[in-house]
Amino acid sequence: MRRPLALALLAFLAMSAGCTSLFGPGELSQEQLNENTSYDWSTDATATYTVSADEYRAVYVLDNRTNLSVYGRNTFGLERPLDVSAVKYQYPNGTVIGLNDSDEFAVTQSRERATITVPEKGGKVAFTVPRNGKTFSTPTFVDGASYEVVLPPNTDVAVPLLGKVSPGGYTTERVDGRIHIEWSTVETNGISVRYYLDRDLLIFGSLAGILTIAGLVGSAYYVRQIRELERRRRDVGLDTREE
């Protein structure tokens, strides 16, 4: 009896995960979608993510598309609508508008995805998503495209034990004190970056140095104790080589 109840509870959680109710995602907040945020539109990559401590700002080049569907994943690995805010669109001529500026510019939401529809083909669309921690990851919504991740100031991924970037085949460049990670083409379903603060590297180096010194001191003490034991054995007439 308990097992069917547990399975039913698990199914309920899986159905409702990532949604504010059992019957679907919560209603979109127009205030959130129309927040005023500035974006760096000067990007050559198909998708550019500028990461900060509590959010990231994404800019997508749409080319011949009029919509973009975006999603994240919940704890069960199921798709859920991405919690976007401050949605903007830049026309090919450079004019930037918000959702209130055009009836043809809209964000709709299903149980699994949020779909951004823009007024015309081409141009760029941008939005902001909350985040935290020192790991940034996102599905790749455009297959075979170029991607760029701009890390927060004073962070890096160069040390393998502290930083990790997936997939491979990327290049890094420091511009204005921030690391830019670039992929010319991404064929995988997602990208992931684990970075560290510059001060973390100093702490890690200091800790490694302390452990190294402690190891050397311990080894020296161990060798000294062995030699002292050998001396005592000789003093009492034991042949240490035969023993």
Side-chain angles (χ1 to χ4, degrees):
M1 185 65 180
R2 292 182 179 178
R3 187 171 183 179
L5 288 175
L7 292 175
L9 178 60
L10 180 61
F12 172 81
L13 292 174
M15 289 175 62
S16 59
C19 305
T20 56
S21 71
L22 175 62
F23 302 102
E27 185 177 350
L28 291 168
S29 167
Q30 295 302 312
E31 181 180 358
Q32 175 179 321
L33 294 175
N34 285 284
E35 289 178 0
N36 187 19
T37 299
S38 60
Y39 294 96
D40 182 5
W41 299 99
S42 59
T43 175
D44 296 326
T46 301
T48 300
Y49 307 95
T50 302
V51 181
S52 63
D54 57 358
E55 68 179 20
Y56 69 86
R57 300 179 182 183
V59 177
Y60 276 83
V61 179
L62 296 179
D63 292 329
N64 294 322
R65 307 175 61 177
T66 58
N67 60 73
L68 178 70
S69 294
V70 295
Y71 60 91
R73 296 190 183 278
N74 58 26
T75 54
F76 293 94
L78 302 176
E79 294 181 6
R80 59 171 179 79
L82 205 59
D83 187 18
V84 298
S85 62
V87 183
K88 304 288 184 182
Y89 173 68
Q90 185 189 59
Y91 285 94
N93 64 7
T95 301
V96 177
I97 65 170
L99 290 171
N100 289 332
D101 299 321
S102 174
D103 293 336
E104 298 176 335
F105 187 22
V107 179
T108 56
Q109 187 171 266
S110 66
R111 183 180 295 277
E112 293 85 14
R113 303 189 178 199
T115 300
I116 305 172
T117 303
V118 300
E120 65 179 55
K121 292 182 179 180
K124 300 175 182 178
V125 67
F127 53 85
T128 298
V129 179
R131 63 168 299 276
N132 56 61
K134 298 177 185 177
T135 298
F136 167 76
S137 62
T138 178
T140 49
F141 305 125
V142 183
D143 296 333
S146 57
Y147 285 79
E148 179 179 7
V149 175
V150 183
L151 296 182
N154 304 315
T155 63
D156 209 335
V157 293
V159 178
L161 291 177
L162 300 178
K164 183 178 181 181
V165 181
S166 178
Y170 61 90
T171 60
T172 60
E173 181 183 10
R174 186 178 291 273
V175 179
D176 296 330
R178 304 183 71 164
I179 295 296
H180 291 234
I181 306 170
E182 300 177 357
W183 295 264
S184 59
T185 303
V186 175
E187 302 291 348
T188 59
N189 294 328
I191 58 177
S192 177
V193 177
R194 185 180 72 234
Y195 59 88
Y196 57 86
L197 299 173
D198 290 342
R199 68 168 181 264
D200 293 343
L201 184 60
L202 178 61
I203 295 172
F204 178 78
S206 300
L207 181 60
I210 292 172
L211 291 176
T212 300
I213 293 174
L216 292 174
V217 171
S219 297
Y221 177 79
Y222 180 71
V223 170
R224 181 179 178 182
Q225 291 296 103
I226 291 177
R227 290 178 177 174
E228 179 65 18
L229 179 60
E230 291 176 344
R231 185 187 64 79
R232 291 179 180 179
R233 291 169 66 90
R234 287 194 298 269
D235 290 345
V236 297
L238 295 176
D239 189 343
T240 56
R241 288 176 298 177
E242 291 182 0
E243 286 294 317

